[in-house]
Amino acid sequence: MRICGIFACVALLLFCGCSRQTNDSSLYDSTGKWSSRIDGVANTEDLACIGNTIAYSTNLYICFYDMATEKMTTDDISDWQQVLAVSAGEKYFYILMRESWGAMETEPCFLKIYTVDGVLFKELEVPFLTIFVSDGMIYVYWGIGYEVQDFDRRMGHIEATHYLSEKNFLADFPDEKSDWNEMEGDTMQIASKTFYRYPADGVIHKKPYYSDDKYLQEIQQLYFTEYMNGELATPPERAIGSKYLEELYAMMKKREKNWITFASEVDGIMYGVCNVYTGGTGFFSQMDTSCIDYSFSFFYNEITNTLEQINRYENVELIYDDGNHVLIHKEDGVYYIDQAMSKEDKILDYDGAIGVTVRDNLLLVQKNESYVGNGDEKEEQEFYWGTDTRFVKKIW
């Protein structure tokens, strides 16, 4: 049973913007379905791809989906196990896991390495809490004794202290710190990535670390911030700095009271969307898709240190917009717009609420469906812990 970990899980999801599920009856329409809405655009749900195979995790399974054959291979996640990261190298998927929800020093992490076909190749205990594989290199944050939710787990984002070539790692599976390359200096160039040194803060990061995002501390709040009735509805640490907040207000018709931002990184540039909603009767109902007023997209201009608007839309709820590719949400599903072709295609047909993950050209959607069980404990556990309908696809 994992019910004891639900409170930590919900807290993490609220912090990161992965989901805002609630038992509030205002989320349901007269038929008992979830109202049409975006539960969240996740920056934290891990998603990786090798060729035609996409790897991701639910709370019950590690999933490997072959887009060419539409075949799904899964591996069970045992009770009390948590997936921390999903990454992909040249030939293998790397799934970093932990034995206990929210454990700090008591439980080590372990790494499961899978082939493209979803076959377990190797499993080993490891002394690090994060892993990211890119350009033939493996990056890790060395050391245990940290809570998982303390790390910035945005998609594709790296926080690391050590690195090693994937080839050397697969040859020896080293578990000694001396076998890894320690990151040092103010900046480092490793393969195609530039890393910037961040100081230890004594709470989240107990040692200096390196990130490939040099403006992390300035604008990370834009990745998910929500205002309701003119007040910040996300935790205080998600509050946008006054400079960028004023720039967002300048893009609005007026200083709106109900709005949400989502953002992601593409080729080192942060792109964001802001959805503005009309008022509603319930705490959550004002953020339903039917209440969308207008929206706009923006990006962070590193040269001028400003947010600049890209596109503006009336009565459109945005999921993603990088200036070339746009994903929008309507009450009957998800649509993709190729800006170069000025063509709109429906890619997901449904009605209800969704949680969305966008990474590069990959889209993963979890449809949050209402549920009335028959009192069967196993059935209820499976529903609440990962059997919601999943949709995964390469879009462009």
Side-chain angles (χ1 to χ4, degrees):
M1 292 290 291
R2 301 181 197 172
I3 196 68
C4 295
I6 191 170
F7 300 107
C9 178
V10 170
L12 173 59
L13 292 176
L14 286 170
F15 175 83
C16 298
C18 299
S19 176
R20 298 192 308 281
Q21 296 183 14
T22 177
N23 291 324
D24 192 324
S25 60
S26 66
L27 292 179
Y28 300 94
D29 61 21
S30 59
T31 67
K33 289 182 174 291
W34 286 69
S35 300
S36 179
R37 67 196 307 271
I38 302 175
D39 262 351
V41 178
N43 297 302
T44 61
E45 180 160 6
D46 294 292
L47 188 66
C49 183
I50 300 177
N52 287 320
T53 303
I54 302 175
Y56 63 95
S57 68
T58 71
N59 287 299
L60 292 178
Y61 308 104
I62 300 169
C63 304
F64 304 90
Y65 177 69
D66 188 317
M67 293 177 286
T69 64
E70 298 186 350
K71 177 184 177 182
M72 178 75 79
T73 301
T74 62
D75 190 9
D76 291 352
I77 298 175
S78 302
D79 288 351
W80 301 109
Q81 289 183 345
Q82 178 185 15
V83 173
L84 305 182
V86 177
S87 197
E90 183 178 351
K91 297 180 180 180
Y92 297 100
F93 289 107
Y94 296 83
I95 315 296
L96 184 66
M97 306 182 70
R98 203 170 200 178
E99 287 288 353
S100 179
W101 288 88
M104 294 182 68
E105 299 179 357
T106 57
E107 299 290 346
C109 296
F110 60 100
L111 184 66
K112 301 180 78 170
I113 304 174
Y114 292 86
T115 67
V116 176
D117 298 323
V119 176
L120 183 62
F121 168 68
K122 183 78 172 179
E123 180 176 349
L124 60 155
E125 187 175 304
V126 293
F128 43 79
L129 277 172
T130 63
I131 185 170
F132 186 83
V133 187
S134 177
D135 296 330
M137 294 292 177
I138 296 181
Y139 302 94
V140 301
Y141 192 107
W142 195 278
I144 60 175
Y146 306 85
E147 290 195 61
V148 172
Q149 56 263 42
D150 285 341
F151 287 90
D152 184 349
R153 310 196 64 81
R154 281 182 287 116
M155 194 69 66
H157 172 74
I158 304 175
E159 293 186 1
T161 58
H162 293 75
Y163 68 98
L164 186 68
S165 73
E166 184 180 11
K167 179 181 178 180
N168 289 341
F169 178 78
L170 292 172
D172 300 321
F173 301 106
D175 58 3
E176 296 292 333
K177 186 182 294 187
S178 59
D179 294 325
W180 290 72
N181 302 304
E182 185 171 4
M183 303 176 77
E184 55 187 4
D186 292 332
T187 62
M188 288 193 70
Q189 187 71 35
I190 305 174
S192 64
K193 295 186 178 295
T194 303
F195 290 88
Y196 305 88
R197 188 178 190 273
Y198 281 80
D201 54 32
V203 180
I204 297 176
H205 303 91
K206 298 181 180 179
K207 62 180 72 173
Y209 68 100
Y210 288 78
S211 172
D212 58 331
D213 182 355
K214 63 182 172 182
Y215 45 77
L216 167 65
Q217 293 178 329
E218 294 184 358
I219 61 173
Q220 64 175 337
Q221 289 83 1
L222 291 166
Y223 287 85
F224 173 65
T225 299
E226 182 173 11
Y227 273 76
M228 289 184 180
N229 299 318
E231 300 293 335
L232 181 68
T234 39
E237 58 267 27
R238 307 303 301 168
I240 300 174
S242 59
K243 176 183 184 301
Y244 303 117
L245 182 60
E246 290 302 320
E247 290 175 358
L248 281 178
Y249 280 137
M251 298 179 200
M252 299 179 185
K253 296 178 181 179
K254 62 181 187 299
R255 295 178 72 92
E256 303 288 359
K257 292 185 176 182
N258 302 300
W259 52 274
I260 299 175
T261 64
F262 303 120
S264 57
E265 290 181 35
V266 181
D267 296 329
I269 300 175
M270 189 213 72
Y271 293 94
V273 301
C274 181
N275 291 315
V276 178
Y277 299 84
T278 58
T281 56
F283 184 73
F284 283 87
S285 64
Q286 57 198 353
M287 299 301 188
D288 287 352
T289 303
S290 61
C291 295
I292 188 67
D293 186 0
Y294 65 94
S295 58
F296 57 89
S297 57
F298 57 90
F299 76 99
Y300 174 68
N301 187 325
E302 183 180 344
I303 297 175
T304 61
N305 189 28
T306 59
L307 303 179
E308 298 186 13
Q309 184 170 305
I310 303 173
N311 294 311
R312 192 178 188 88
Y313 307 84
E314 294 295 328
N315 303 312
V316 172
E317 192 173 37
L318 281 172
I319 295 174
Y320 174 92
D321 185 355
D322 64 12
N324 296 311
H325 308 284
V326 182
L327 291 171
I328 65 175
H329 183 241
K330 297 183 181 181
E331 291 186 84
D332 65 342
V334 176
Y335 292 75
Y336 166 64
I337 302 173
D338 185 332
Q339 294 287 61
M341 303 292 292
S342 298
K343 181 182 179 182
E344 180 179 303
D345 293 314
K346 189 175 187 178
I347 58 176
L348 177 61
D349 184 22
Y350 83 103
D351 58 347
I354 60 171
V356 184
T357 297
V358 182
R359 178 174 184 179
D360 300 326
N361 56 358
L362 302 176
L363 172 69
L364 184 147
V365 173
Q366 177 174 325
K367 295 160 64 178
N368 297 326
E369 299 166 338
S370 59
Y371 172 73
V372 178
N374 298 314
D376 183 89
E377 183 177 348
K378 182 177 186 297
E379 178 188 13
E380 292 182 1
Q381 180 185 3
E382 287 184 351
F383 177 83
Y384 286 112
W385 289 104
T387 57
D388 286 358
T389 304
R390 290 272 175 153
F391 170 86
V392 61
K393 185 177 182 179
K394 183 178 288 187
I395 305 300
W396 61 85

